[in-house]
């Protein structure tokens, strides 16, 4: 996506439900009444503009609002759109006081609305879709950037075993399994051959880093997946746990940094921006803060980590391209994201070269 897109306007708020993703509201209200504590209709349903992976809805009642996340209907890639896993992880984190929305219920019966879904509270606050945070002061930007790093460090201080998530992911070989997974996802949606992706598929498995301690990895840690306090630089809720698993915490931290390697001509790219004037911390500042707050130290193989994460993002975008082709993408902007596979894979290969390819 290009900078011409006003992401804040395009993705904020709700709209009428897309005809492809309409719900059986009578069936849904009956399920909510039976399964969600305190629910009282009548029910009004709106669809959030964002959330192109899993269609996401606002459920309004006279007394409160909820959020529903569902699997999209249609043929899907294996292991994708795992809303049941999202529900499991936010349930465990909510019990720990980590900032997530309160989970209310999971429905695995496709007969209710056509696919699996879960319901959580609607958290009020700010969502920023532009990493440059237009309209804020440099000090405000700096505080928000540090807040998202501090929250990530808080997540990575949690021991999965101690909070009941010991079986949330397979033990060991995290990067090997992730490279294998995203290679399969990419191949399953592959269109025209992309040389850089083929090179990365050869390079990454041969140069895997040493394994770090097992932590909860969010998998898509970025600013627009967080709801900030209405006035304070504090994360109220972290959203979109679809890609979460157990693994190496450095995968999450380095994913946060890929914006620094993406040109400003693409949405949420910071490469070439005057970070000092904007008040956005440098990579070194973020690494120092994260390393201390998490207790895990700073990464010592950042080029490889950036190559891996850009490759992974390119594979995700290729999956979106496949859904556009198959007619199951839930966002009007999915086609623009799909177009970024080439640029992202080129950027990934450039870091692979720095890492010794």
């Amino acid at each position: 996506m290009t900078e011409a897109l006003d992401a804040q306007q395009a993705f904020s708020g709700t709209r009428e439900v897309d005809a492809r993703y309409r719900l059986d509201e009578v069936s849904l209200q009956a399920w909510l009444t039976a399964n969600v504590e305190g629910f009282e209709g009548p029910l009004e349903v709106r669809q959030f503009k964002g959330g192109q992976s899993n269609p996401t809805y606002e459920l309004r009642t006279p007394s409160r609002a909820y959020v529903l996340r569902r699997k999209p209907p249609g043929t899907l890639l294996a292991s994708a759109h795992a809303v049941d896993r999202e529900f499991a992880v936010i349930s465990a984190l909510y019990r720990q006081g980590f900032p997530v929305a309160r989970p209310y219920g999971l429905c695995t019966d496709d007969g209710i609305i056509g696919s699996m879904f879960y319901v959580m509270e609607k958290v009020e606050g700010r969502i920023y879709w532009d990493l440059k945070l237009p309209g804020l002061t440099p000090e405000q930007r700096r505080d928000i950037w540090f807040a998202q790093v501090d929250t990530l460090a808080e997540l990575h201080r949690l021991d999965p075993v101690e909070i009941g998530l010991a079986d949330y992911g397979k033990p060991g070989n995290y990067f090997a399994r992730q490279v294998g997974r995203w290679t399969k996802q990419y191949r399953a949606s592959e269109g025209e051959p992309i040389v850089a992706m083929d090179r990365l598929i050869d390079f990454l498995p041969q140069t895997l880093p040493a394994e770090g301690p097992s932590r909860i990895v969010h998998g898509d840690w970025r600013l627009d997946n967080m709801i900030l306090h209405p006035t304070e630089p504090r994360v109220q809720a972290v959203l979109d746990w679809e890609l979460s698993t157990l693994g190496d915490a450095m995968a999450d931290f380095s994913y946060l940094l890929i914006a620094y390697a993406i040109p400003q001509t693409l949405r949420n790219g910071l490469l070439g921006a005057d970070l000092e004037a904007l008040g956005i911390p440098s990579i070194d500042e973020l690494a120092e803060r994260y390393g201390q707050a998490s207790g895990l130290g700073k990464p010592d193989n950042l080029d490889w980590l950036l190559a891996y994460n850009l490759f992974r993002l390119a594979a995700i975008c290729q999956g979106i391209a496949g859904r556009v082709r198959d007619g199951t993408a839930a966002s009007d902007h999915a086609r623009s994201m799909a177009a970024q596979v080439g640029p992202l894979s080129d950027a990934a290969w450039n870091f692979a070269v720095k890492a010794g390819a």
Side-chain angles (χ1 to χ4, degrees), residues 96-99 149-158 290 293-294:
Q96 300 303 311
F98 184 82
V149 169
D150 292 346
T151 306
L152 182 61
E154 180 183 353
L155 175 68
H156 292 162
R157 287 197 303 269
L158 295 171
Y290 170 81
S294 67

Side-chain angles (χ1 to χ4, degrees), residues 109-158:
D109 180 358
D110 290 352
I112 302 298
I113 64 168
S115 61
M116 184 188 302
F117 68 91
Y118 72 92
V119 176
M120 58 185 165
E121 71 172 319
K122 184 186 179 190
V123 177
E124 299 297 339
R126 297 173 290 167
I127 297 180
Y128 288 107
W129 293 89
D130 187 334
L131 291 179
K132 299 187 187 75
L133 299 171
L136 301 187
T137 67
E139 292 77 15
Q140 289 171 324
R141 293 188 187 105
R142 187 174 184 83
D143 287 345
I144 287 174
W145 270 83
F146 280 149
Q148 64 170 328
V149 169
D150 292 346
T151 306
L152 182 61
E154 180 183 353
L155 175 68
H156 292 162
R157 287 197 303 269
L158 295 171

Side-chain angles (χ1 to χ4, degrees), residues 159-171 214 246:
D159 184 328
V161 176
E162 292 179 358
I163 67 171
L165 290 175
D167 60 351
Y168 192 64
K170 296 179 181 178
S214 181
L246 301 186

